[in-house]
mmCIF file of all heavy atoms in Angstrom:
data_model
loop_
_atom_site.group_PDB
_atom_site.id
_atom_site.type_symbol
_atom_site.label_atom_id
_atom_site.label_comp_id
_atom_site.label_asym_id
_atom_site.label_seq_id
_atom_site.Cartn_x
_atom_site.Cartn_y
_atom_site.Cartn_z
ATOM 1 N N LEU A 239 -5.654 -2.757 -10.587
ATOM 2 C CA LEU A 239 -4.636 -1.879 -10.615
ATOM 3 C C LEU A 239 -3.607 -2.086 -11.829
ATOM 4 O O LEU A 239 -3.019 -1.213 -12.357
ATOM 5 C CB LEU A 239 -3.637 -2.007 -9.350
ATOM 6 C CG LEU A 239 -4.214 -1.333 -8.186
ATOM 7 C CD1 LEU A 239 -3.408 -1.753 -6.892
ATOM 8 C CD2 LEU A 239 -4.293 0.089 -8.361
ATOM 9 N N ASP A 240 -3.559 -3.422 -12.268
ATOM 10 C CA ASP A 240 -2.695 -3.680 -13.409
ATOM 11 C C ASP A 240 -3.067 -3.042 -14.714
ATOM 12 O O ASP A 240 -2.321 -2.901 -15.616
ATOM 13 C CB ASP A 240 -2.743 -5.257 -13.608
ATOM 14 C CG ASP A 240 -2.124 -5.922 -12.458
ATOM 15 O OD1 ASP A 240 -1.329 -5.222 -11.778
ATOM 16 O OD2 ASP A 240 -2.261 -7.190 -12.293
ATOM 17 N N THR A 241 -4.346 -2.491 -14.781
ATOM 18 C CA THR A 241 -4.764 -1.743 -15.956
ATOM 19 C C THR A 241 -4.267 -0.293 -16.001
ATOM 20 O O THR A 241 -4.535 0.328 -16.966
ATOM 21 C CB THR A 241 -6.259 -1.746 -16.078
ATOM 22 O OG1 THR A 241 -6.795 -1.026 -14.917
ATOM 23 C CG2 THR A 241 -6.896 -3.194 -16.051
ATOM 24 N N LEU A 242 -3.620 0.212 -14.905
ATOM 25 C CA LEU A 242 -3.155 1.549 -14.874
ATOM 26 C C LEU A 242 -1.639 1.585 -14.716
ATOM 27 O O LEU A 242 -1.107 0.830 -13.924
ATOM 28 C CB LEU A 242 -3.864 2.314 -13.803
ATOM 29 C CG LEU A 242 -5.364 2.646 -14.068
ATOM 30 C CD1 LEU A 242 -5.898 3.354 -12.745
ATOM 31 C CD2 LEU A 242 -5.582 3.616 -15.211
ATOM 32 N N PRO A 243 -0.954 2.654 -15.263
ATOM 33 C CA PRO A 243 0.485 2.866 -14.922
ATOM 34 C C PRO A 243 0.583 3.304 -13.403
ATOM 35 O O PRO A 243 -0.354 3.878 -12.850
ATOM 36 C CB PRO A 243 0.939 3.938 -15.810
ATOM 37 C CG PRO A 243 -0.369 4.644 -16.298
ATOM 38 C CD PRO A 243 -1.497 3.670 -16.284
ATOM 39 N N ASP A 244 1.705 3.001 -12.888
ATOM 40 C CA ASP A 244 1.932 3.338 -11.429
ATOM 41 C C ASP A 244 1.771 4.780 -11.012
ATOM 42 O O ASP A 244 1.288 5.139 -10.038
ATOM 43 C CB ASP A 244 3.336 2.924 -10.911
ATOM 44 C CG ASP A 244 3.479 1.365 -10.837
ATOM 45 O OD1 ASP A 244 2.417 0.665 -11.046
ATOM 46 O OD2 ASP A 244 4.508 0.885 -10.596
ATOM 47 N N ASP A 245 2.184 5.674 -12.018
ATOM 48 C CA ASP A 245 2.059 7.131 -11.716
ATOM 49 C C ASP A 245 0.564 7.745 -11.847
ATOM 50 O O ASP A 245 0.403 8.929 -11.831
ATOM 51 C CB ASP A 245 2.962 7.878 -12.575
ATOM 52 C CG ASP A 245 2.657 7.793 -14.061
ATOM 53 O OD1 ASP A 245 1.739 7.009 -14.383
ATOM 54 O OD2 ASP A 245 3.411 8.424 -14.883
ATOM 55 N N LYS A 246 -0.365 6.814 -11.926
ATOM 56 C CA LYS A 246 -1.759 7.203 -11.960
ATOM 57 C C LYS A 246 -2.574 6.584 -10.841
ATOM 58 O O LYS A 246 -3.793 6.532 -10.877
ATOM 59 C CB LYS A 246 -2.430 6.738 -13.418
ATOM 60 C CG LYS A 246 -1.787 7.328 -14.571
ATOM 61 C CD LYS A 246 -1.942 8.862 -14.513
ATOM 62 C CE LYS A 246 -1.334 9.526 -15.759
ATOM 63 N NZ LYS A 246 -1.397 11.038 -15.833
ATOM 64 N N ILE A 247 -1.856 6.143 -9.757
ATOM 65 C CA ILE A 247 -2.591 5.452 -8.724
ATOM 66 C C ILE A 247 -2.271 6.072 -7.353
ATOM 67 O O ILE A 247 -1.154 6.428 -7.153
ATOM 68 C CB ILE A 247 -2.094 3.985 -8.655
ATOM 69 C CG1 ILE A 247 -2.539 3.305 -9.969
ATOM 70 C CG2 ILE A 247 -2.691 3.271 -7.508
ATOM 71 C CD1 ILE A 247 -1.845 1.913 -10.146
ATOM 72 N N VAL A 248 -3.317 6.215 -6.508
ATOM 73 C CA VAL A 248 -3.178 6.542 -5.163
ATOM 74 C C VAL A 248 -3.980 5.561 -4.304
ATOM 75 O O VAL A 248 -5.171 5.257 -4.656
ATOM 76 C CB VAL A 248 -3.747 7.963 -4.779
ATOM 77 C CG1 VAL A 248 -3.720 8.229 -3.225
ATOM 78 C CG2 VAL A 248 -2.840 9.034 -5.465
ATOM 79 N N VAL A 249 -3.247 4.902 -3.232
ATOM 80 C CA VAL A 249 -3.841 3.856 -2.571
ATOM 81 C C VAL A 249 -4.219 4.406 -1.125
ATOM 82 O O VAL A 249 -3.266 4.795 -0.475
ATOM 83 C CB VAL A 249 -3.045 2.583 -2.423
ATOM 84 C CG1 VAL A 249 -3.716 1.511 -1.555
ATOM 85 C CG2 VAL A 249 -2.777 2.092 -3.850
ATOM 86 N N MET A 250 -5.511 4.438 -0.731
ATOM 87 C CA MET A 250 -5.794 4.773 0.636
ATOM 88 C C MET A 250 -5.918 3.535 1.535
ATOM 89 O O MET A 250 -6.529 2.550 1.035
ATOM 90 C CB MET A 250 -7.247 5.502 0.667
ATOM 91 C CG MET A 250 -7.205 6.881 0.338
ATOM 92 S SD MET A 250 -6.323 7.971 1.377
ATOM 93 C CE MET A 250 -6.727 7.555 2.999
ATOM 94 N N CYS A 251 -5.218 3.450 2.621
ATOM 95 C CA CYS A 251 -5.275 2.219 3.373
ATOM 96 C C CYS A 251 -5.264 2.503 4.894
ATOM 97 O O CYS A 251 -4.933 3.597 5.383
ATOM 98 C CB CYS A 251 -4.006 1.359 2.993
ATOM 99 S SG CYS A 251 -2.443 2.190 3.255
ATOM 100 N N THR A 252 -5.444 1.454 5.675
ATOM 101 C CA THR A 252 -5.297 1.425 7.022
ATOM 102 C C THR A 252 -3.888 1.137 7.446
ATOM 103 O O THR A 252 -3.066 0.702 6.622
ATOM 104 C CB THR A 252 -6.240 0.397 7.759
ATOM 105 O OG1 THR A 252 -6.004 -0.835 7.144
ATOM 106 C CG2 THR A 252 -7.713 0.764 7.589
ATOM 107 N N GLY A 253 -3.463 1.303 8.705
ATOM 108 C CA GLY A 253 -2.176 0.976 9.215
ATOM 109 C C GLY A 253 -1.388 2.213 9.746
ATOM 110 O O GLY A 253 -0.203 2.013 10.039
ATOM 111 N N SER A 254 -2.006 3.297 9.914
ATOM 112 C CA SER A 254 -1.330 4.423 10.401
ATOM 113 C C SER A 254 -0.860 4.361 11.871
ATOM 114 O O SER A 254 0.036 5.162 12.267
ATOM 115 C CB SER A 254 -2.164 5.770 10.248
ATOM 116 O OG SER A 254 -3.369 5.713 11.149
ATOM 117 N N GLN A 255 -1.331 3.369 12.643
ATOM 118 C CA GLN A 255 -0.868 3.099 13.892
ATOM 119 C C GLN A 255 0.006 1.955 14.078
ATOM 120 O O GLN A 255 0.216 1.402 15.209
ATOM 121 C CB GLN A 255 -2.116 3.008 14.808
ATOM 122 C CG GLN A 255 -2.992 4.182 14.883
ATOM 123 C CD GLN A 255 -2.240 5.450 15.328
ATOM 124 O OE1 GLN A 255 -1.682 5.440 16.420
ATOM 125 N NE2 GLN A 255 -2.177 6.415 14.526
ATOM 126 N N GLY A 256 0.555 1.423 12.950
ATOM 127 C CA GLY A 256 1.507 0.315 12.998
ATOM 128 C C GLY A 256 0.862 -0.940 13.330
ATOM 129 O O GLY A 256 1.567 -1.922 13.833
ATOM 130 N N GLU A 257 -0.414 -1.152 13.168
ATOM 131 C CA GLU A 257 -1.027 -2.401 13.527
ATOM 132 C C GLU A 257 -0.547 -3.514 12.651
ATOM 133 O O GLU A 257 -0.487 -3.351 11.396
ATOM 134 C CB GLU A 257 -2.582 -2.307 13.261
ATOM 135 C CG GLU A 257 -3.214 -1.198 13.913
ATOM 136 C CD GLU A 257 -3.426 0.055 13.042
ATOM 137 O OE1 GLU A 257 -2.389 0.415 12.461
ATOM 138 O OE2 GLU A 257 -4.497 0.603 13.099
ATOM 139 N N PRO A 258 -0.066 -4.604 13.085
ATOM 140 C CA PRO A 258 0.568 -5.647 12.440
ATOM 141 C C PRO A 258 -0.157 -6.280 11.446
ATOM 142 O O PRO A 258 0.384 -6.790 10.338
ATOM 143 C CB PRO A 258 1.009 -6.779 13.489
ATOM 144 C CG PRO A 258 0.164 -6.497 14.667
ATOM 145 C CD PRO A 258 -0.192 -4.995 14.637
ATOM 146 N N MET A 259 -1.523 -6.400 11.476
ATOM 147 C CA MET A 259 -2.416 -6.976 10.563
ATOM 148 C C MET A 259 -2.958 -6.009 9.510
ATOM 149 O O MET A 259 -3.921 -6.319 8.804
ATOM 150 C CB MET A 259 -3.556 -7.945 11.177
ATOM 151 C CG MET A 259 -2.856 -8.961 11.942
ATOM 152 S SD MET A 259 -1.763 -10.092 10.969
ATOM 153 C CE MET A 259 -2.893 -10.682 9.795
ATOM 154 N N SER A 260 -2.649 -4.745 9.756
ATOM 155 C CA SER A 260 -3.218 -3.740 8.823
ATOM 156 C C SER A 260 -2.862 -3.816 7.360
ATOM 157 O O SER A 260 -1.811 -4.478 7.090
ATOM 158 C CB SER A 260 -2.969 -2.371 9.380
ATOM 159 O OG SER A 260 -1.599 -2.080 9.199
ATOM 160 N N ALA A 261 -3.486 -3.205 6.512
ATOM 161 C CA ALA A 261 -3.157 -3.165 5.092
ATOM 162 C C ALA A 261 -1.705 -2.661 4.792
ATOM 163 O O ALA A 261 -0.974 -3.366 4.084
ATOM 164 C CB ALA A 261 -4.135 -2.364 4.296
ATOM 165 N N LEU A 262 -1.451 -1.565 5.457
ATOM 166 C CA LEU A 262 -0.003 -1.045 5.319
ATOM 167 C C LEU A 262 1.154 -2.021 5.724
ATOM 168 O O LEU A 262 2.087 -2.190 4.958
ATOM 169 C CB LEU A 262 0.187 0.317 5.977
ATOM 170 C CG LEU A 262 1.505 1.026 5.765
ATOM 171 C CD1 LEU A 262 1.659 1.432 4.353
ATOM 172 C CD2 LEU A 262 1.588 2.261 6.671
ATOM 173 N N ALA A 263 0.923 -2.629 6.977
ATOM 174 C CA ALA A 263 1.928 -3.543 7.350
ATOM 175 C C ALA A 263 2.108 -4.672 6.473
ATOM 176 O O ALA A 263 3.180 -5.169 6.197
ATOM 177 C CB ALA A 263 1.665 -3.973 8.904
ATOM 178 N N ARG A 264 0.963 -5.278 6.002
ATOM 179 C CA ARG A 264 0.958 -6.456 5.156
ATOM 180 C C ARG A 264 1.489 -6.231 3.759
ATOM 181 O O ARG A 264 2.238 -6.922 3.203
ATOM 182 C CB ARG A 264 -0.432 -7.076 5.037
ATOM 183 C CG ARG A 264 -0.916 -7.804 6.336
ATOM 184 C CD ARG A 264 -2.183 -8.500 6.247
ATOM 185 N NE ARG A 264 -3.336 -7.522 6.182
ATOM 186 C CZ ARG A 264 -4.152 -7.336 5.149
ATOM 187 N NH1 ARG A 264 -4.104 -8.051 4.220
ATOM 188 N NH2 ARG A 264 -5.149 -6.440 5.286
ATOM 189 N N MET A 265 1.287 -4.902 3.329
ATOM 190 C CA MET A 265 1.889 -4.521 2.024
ATOM 191 C C MET A 265 3.405 -4.369 2.214
ATOM 192 O O MET A 265 4.106 -4.692 1.255
ATOM 193 C CB MET A 265 1.284 -3.347 1.499
ATOM 194 C CG MET A 265 -0.095 -3.564 1.094
ATOM 195 S SD MET A 265 -0.846 -2.018 0.191
ATOM 196 C CE MET A 265 -1.226 -0.955 1.572
ATOM 197 N N ALA A 266 3.762 -3.805 3.293
ATOM 198 C CA ALA A 266 5.219 -3.725 3.578
ATOM 199 C C ALA A 266 5.996 -5.042 3.625
ATOM 200 O O ALA A 266 7.161 -5.073 3.242
ATOM 201 C CB ALA A 266 5.531 -2.826 4.872
ATOM 202 N N THR A 267 5.333 -6.043 4.177
ATOM 203 C CA THR A 267 6.028 -7.335 4.306
ATOM 204 C C THR A 267 5.731 -8.276 3.190
ATOM 205 O O THR A 267 6.248 -9.446 3.053
ATOM 206 C CB THR A 267 5.540 -7.989 5.623
ATOM 207 O OG1 THR A 267 4.092 -8.179 5.628
ATOM 208 C CG2 THR A 267 5.996 -7.197 6.803
ATOM 209 N N GLY A 268 4.973 -7.799 2.120
ATOM 210 C CA GLY A 268 4.537 -8.691 1.031
ATOM 211 C C GLY A 268 3.486 -9.695 1.275
ATOM 212 O O GLY A 268 3.334 -10.579 0.504
ATOM 213 N N ASP A 269 2.710 -9.409 2.336
ATOM 214 C CA ASP A 269 1.614 -10.534 2.624
ATOM 215 C C ASP A 269 0.346 -10.007 2.324
ATOM 216 O O ASP A 269 -0.717 -10.729 2.556
ATOM 217 C CB ASP A 269 1.660 -10.733 4.244
ATOM 218 C CG ASP A 269 2.932 -11.322 4.776
ATOM 219 O OD1 ASP A 269 3.575 -12.094 3.981
ATOM 220 O OD2 ASP A 269 3.297 -11.031 5.945
ATOM 221 N N HIS A 270 0.190 -8.889 1.691
ATOM 222 C CA HIS A 270 -1.085 -8.444 1.149
ATOM 223 C C HIS A 270 -1.569 -9.255 -0.008
ATOM 224 O O HIS A 270 -0.787 -9.598 -0.939
ATOM 225 C CB HIS A 270 -1.144 -6.964 0.836
ATOM 226 C CG HIS A 270 -2.431 -6.299 0.678
ATOM 227 N ND1 HIS A 270 -3.077 -6.296 -0.438
ATOM 228 C CD2 HIS A 270 -3.234 -5.616 1.633
ATOM 229 C CE1 HIS A 270 -4.256 -5.718 -0.382
ATOM 230 N NE2 HIS A 270 -4.276 -5.243 0.897
ATOM 231 N N LYS A 271 -2.875 -9.470 -0.161
ATOM 232 C CA LYS A 271 -3.353 -10.331 -1.238
ATOM 233 C C LYS A 271 -3.192 -9.824 -2.634
ATOM 234 O O LYS A 271 -3.110 -10.512 -3.635
ATOM 235 C CB LYS A 271 -4.797 -10.750 -1.060
ATOM 236 C CG LYS A 271 -5.751 -9.561 -0.854
ATOM 237 C CD LYS A 271 -7.108 -9.971 -0.526
ATOM 238 C CE LYS A 271 -8.007 -8.756 -0.306
ATOM 239 N NZ LYS A 271 -9.536 -9.169 -0.020
ATOM 240 N N SER A 272 -3.171 -8.470 -2.781
ATOM 241 C CA SER A 272 -3.079 -7.854 -4.081
ATOM 242 C C SER A 272 -2.065 -6.780 -4.282
ATOM 243 O O SER A 272 -1.836 -6.403 -5.413
ATOM 244 C CB SER A 272 -4.523 -7.254 -4.476
ATOM 245 O OG SER A 272 -4.995 -6.255 -3.472
ATOM 246 N N LEU A 273 -1.436 -6.222 -3.189
ATOM 247 C CA LEU A 273 -0.627 -5.077 -3.303
ATOM 248 C C LEU A 273 0.700 -5.278 -2.449
ATOM 249 O O LEU A 273 0.728 -5.912 -1.547
ATOM 250 C CB LEU A 273 -1.259 -3.803 -2.771
ATOM 251 C CG LEU A 273 -2.471 -3.281 -3.602
ATOM 252 C CD1 LEU A 273 -3.155 -2.205 -2.716
ATOM 253 C CD2 LEU A 273 -1.925 -2.696 -4.898
ATOM 254 N N THR A 274 1.795 -4.876 -3.127
ATOM 255 C CA THR A 274 3.105 -4.979 -2.394
ATOM 256 C C THR A 274 3.814 -3.636 -2.690
ATOM 257 O O THR A 274 3.860 -3.149 -3.895
ATOM 258 C CB THR A 274 3.934 -6.112 -3.006
ATOM 259 O OG1 THR A 274 3.271 -7.360 -2.745
ATOM 260 C CG2 THR A 274 5.264 -6.111 -2.183
ATOM 261 N N ILE A 275 4.359 -3.047 -1.691
ATOM 262 C CA ILE A 275 5.093 -1.790 -1.810
ATOM 263 C C ILE A 275 6.574 -2.082 -2.240
ATOM 264 O O ILE A 275 7.270 -2.987 -1.709
ATOM 265 C CB ILE A 275 5.039 -1.043 -0.410
ATOM 266 C CG1 ILE A 275 3.701 -0.653 -0.159
ATOM 267 C CG2 ILE A 275 6.024 0.260 -0.540
ATOM 268 C CD1 ILE A 275 3.489 -0.045 1.220
ATOM 269 N N THR A 276 6.912 -1.261 -3.278
ATOM 270 C CA THR A 276 8.318 -1.385 -3.797
ATOM 271 C C THR A 276 9.033 -0.200 -3.801
ATOM 272 O O THR A 276 8.565 0.811 -3.402
ATOM 273 C CB THR A 276 8.178 -1.912 -5.458
ATOM 274 O OG1 THR A 276 7.643 -0.713 -5.997
ATOM 275 C CG2 THR A 276 7.397 -3.180 -5.578
ATOM 276 N N ALA A 277 10.287 -0.215 -4.285
ATOM 277 C CA ALA A 277 11.296 0.996 -4.233
ATOM 278 C C ALA A 277 10.743 2.205 -4.923
ATOM 279 O O ALA A 277 11.060 3.329 -4.550
ATOM 280 C CB ALA A 277 12.630 0.542 -4.583
ATOM 281 N N SER A 278 9.972 2.028 -5.937
ATOM 282 C CA SER A 278 9.564 3.142 -6.758
ATOM 283 C C SER A 278 8.321 3.851 -6.202
ATOM 284 O O SER A 278 7.821 4.953 -6.681
ATOM 285 C CB SER A 278 9.163 2.675 -8.148
ATOM 286 O OG SER A 278 8.044 1.673 -8.098
ATOM 287 N N ASP A 279 7.754 3.303 -5.098
ATOM 288 C CA ASP A 279 6.476 3.931 -4.463
ATOM 289 C C ASP A 279 6.765 4.915 -3.492
ATOM 290 O O ASP A 279 7.868 5.082 -2.939
ATOM 291 C CB ASP A 279 5.644 2.709 -3.783
ATOM 292 C CG ASP A 279 5.233 1.681 -4.837
ATOM 293 O OD1 ASP A 279 4.930 2.077 -5.981
ATOM 294 O OD2 ASP A 279 5.034 0.527 -4.433
ATOM 295 N N THR A 280 5.681 5.607 -3.171
ATOM 296 C CA THR A 280 5.820 6.720 -2.059
ATOM 297 C C THR A 280 4.702 6.345 -0.979
ATOM 298 O O THR A 280 3.598 6.061 -1.342
ATOM 299 C CB THR A 280 5.597 8.042 -2.662
ATOM 300 O OG1 THR A 280 6.565 8.402 -3.577
ATOM 301 C CG2 THR A 280 5.505 9.184 -1.513
ATOM 302 N N VAL A 281 5.159 6.473 0.254
ATOM 303 C CA VAL A 281 4.160 6.242 1.428
ATOM 304 C C VAL A 281 4.082 7.413 2.217
ATOM 305 O O VAL A 281 5.003 8.019 2.657
ATOM 306 C CB VAL A 281 4.747 5.057 2.176
ATOM 307 C CG1 VAL A 281 3.602 4.766 3.451
ATOM 308 C CG2 VAL A 281 4.668 3.680 1.380
ATOM 309 N N ILE A 282 2.783 7.773 2.488
ATOM 310 C CA ILE A 282 2.417 8.978 3.432
ATOM 311 C C ILE A 282 1.742 8.393 4.584
ATOM 312 O O ILE A 282 0.669 7.813 4.531
ATOM 313 C CB ILE A 282 1.593 10.058 2.628
ATOM 314 C CG1 ILE A 282 2.237 10.522 1.396
ATOM 315 C CG2 ILE A 282 1.226 11.141 3.623
ATOM 316 C CD1 ILE A 282 1.312 11.391 0.520
ATOM 317 N N ILE A 283 2.312 8.550 5.753
ATOM 318 C CA ILE A 283 1.674 8.105 7.099
ATOM 319 C C ILE A 283 0.962 9.456 7.601
ATOM 320 O O ILE A 283 1.678 10.238 8.247
ATOM 321 C CB ILE A 283 2.625 7.564 8.064
ATOM 322 C CG1 ILE A 283 3.170 6.259 7.333
ATOM 323 C CG2 ILE A 283 1.931 7.146 9.280
ATOM 324 C CD1 ILE A 283 4.210 5.531 8.250
ATOM 325 N N SER A 284 -0.285 9.545 7.253
ATOM 326 C CA SER A 284 -1.086 10.754 7.672
ATOM 327 C C SER A 284 -1.816 10.695 8.895
ATOM 328 O O SER A 284 -3.114 10.667 9.031
ATOM 329 C CB SER A 284 -2.049 11.084 6.579
ATOM 330 O OG SER A 284 -2.630 12.389 6.622
ATOM 331 N N ALA A 285 -1.063 10.552 10.067
ATOM 332 C CA ALA A 285 -1.679 10.376 11.387
ATOM 333 C C ALA A 285 -0.507 10.565 12.408
ATOM 334 O O ALA A 285 0.587 10.455 12.048
ATOM 335 C CB ALA A 285 -2.368 9.052 11.533
#
């Protein structure tokens, strides 16, 4: 991801049901191994 600007990225992830160990929940809390959601990002919960 570091090779691309932020406005050129879409991330498909699990977590639409609020699962505590899902990718979305871990990114929201900063516990994901490679991704963290920040103020400049947009999140779509499509479920």
Side-chain angles (χ1 to χ4, degrees):
L239 283 176
D240 293 340
T241 63
L242 290 175
D244 287 354
D245 62 356
K246 297 297 180 182
I247 297 168
V248 172
V249 179
M250 282 295 313
C251 62
T252 55
S254 63
Q255 297 303 303
E257 307 95 316
M259 297 305 294
S260 66
L262 182 64
R264 288 185 285 119
M265 287 187 288
T267 56
D269 293 331
H270 194 274
K271 59 184 177 182
S272 58
L273 291 166
T274 301
I275 295 174
T276 64
S278 62
D279 296 326
T280 297
V281 177
I282 302 171
I283 299 179
S284 187

